[in-house]
């Protein structure tokens, strides 16, 4: 039972951290941690509910990352600024962020799903005890 309580505390912290995250790198870190927690809970037989709570954080992080990536795509060219020494600084590339084009595309599609539909999907998974 101790691991379950600790896991639930981590999920609560992850939700708060994700809501507060304003940098893509932070959102990606939360996503990676949520996936690691999901895999751990599944392997430790913590139960579907605990595993799904971590998966929910992961999905929410992917949606947030997708929205941020879409905004970066929209701002390309306009989002340049001049650093000290007169060099033009561009936002980080997908490679710089460790994201491949397929992930970026998938996350941006996840982000484009209306909030109501996304919440209904999560509700249905919980209600029907689906992974």
């Amino acid at each position: 039972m101790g691991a379950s309580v600790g896991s639930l505390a981590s999920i609560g912290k992850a939700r708060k951290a994700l809501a507060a995250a304003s940098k893509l790198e932070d959102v990606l870190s939360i996503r990676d941690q949520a996936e690691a927690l999901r895999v751990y809970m599944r392997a430790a037989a913590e139960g579907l509910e605990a595993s799904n709570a971590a998966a929910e954080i992961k999905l929410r992080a992917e949606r947030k990352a997708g929205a941020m990536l879409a905004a970066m795509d929209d701002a390309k060219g306009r989002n340049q600024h001049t650093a000290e020494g007169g060099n033009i600084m561009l936002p980080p590339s997908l490679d710089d962020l460790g994201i491949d084009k397929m992930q970026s595309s998938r996350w941006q599609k996840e982000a484009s799903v209306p909030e109501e539909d996304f919440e209904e999907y999560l509700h249905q998974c919980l209600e029907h005890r689906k992974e």
Side-chain angles (χ1 to χ4, degrees):
M1 184 166 165
S4 181
V5 172
S7 297
L8 292 175
S10 295
I11 289 169
K13 286 180 186 177
R15 282 189 177 124
K16 288 178 185 176
L18 183 58
S22 61
K23 292 172 41 180
L24 183 56
E25 293 85 353
D26 295 338
V27 173
L28 295 177
S29 176
I30 293 165
R31 179 219 176 259
D32 292 346
Q33 291 173 42
E35 173 60 3
L37 188 57
R38 184 194 67 78
V39 169
Y40 167 78
M41 285 190 213
R42 193 166 184 203
E46 290 285 332
L48 183 62
E49 187 176 308
S51 178
N52 277 355
E56 177 185 340
I57 298 298
K58 177 187 170 190
L59 285 173
R60 289 185 186 282
E62 288 176 354
R63 280 175 57 85
K64 189 167 186 171
M68 293 172 133
L69 288 166
M72 285 172 57
D73 283 348
D74 291 344
K76 269 193 179 142
R78 296 179 310 199
N79 204 19
Q80 297 178 5
H81 64 277
T82 304
E84 289 182 41
N87 294 330
I88 294 178
M89 301 293 295
L90 297 173
S93 69
L94 291 178
D95 284 340
D96 294 338
L97 296 167
I99 301 170
D100 64 44
K101 288 181 183 186
M102 186 67 88
Q103 282 177 311
S104 175
S105 177
R106 190 179 78 240
W107 294 348
Q108 288 182 55
K109 286 179 184 174
E110 287 177 25
S112 71
V113 172
E115 189 67 26
E116 291 175 8
D117 294 346
F118 178 73
E119 293 297 334
E120 179 61 24
Y121 170 77
L122 292 177
H123 176 75
Q124 291 297 320
C125 285
L126 292 174
E127 188 174 292
H128 297 290
R129 298 199 42 81
K130 289 194 235 175
E131 187 172 28

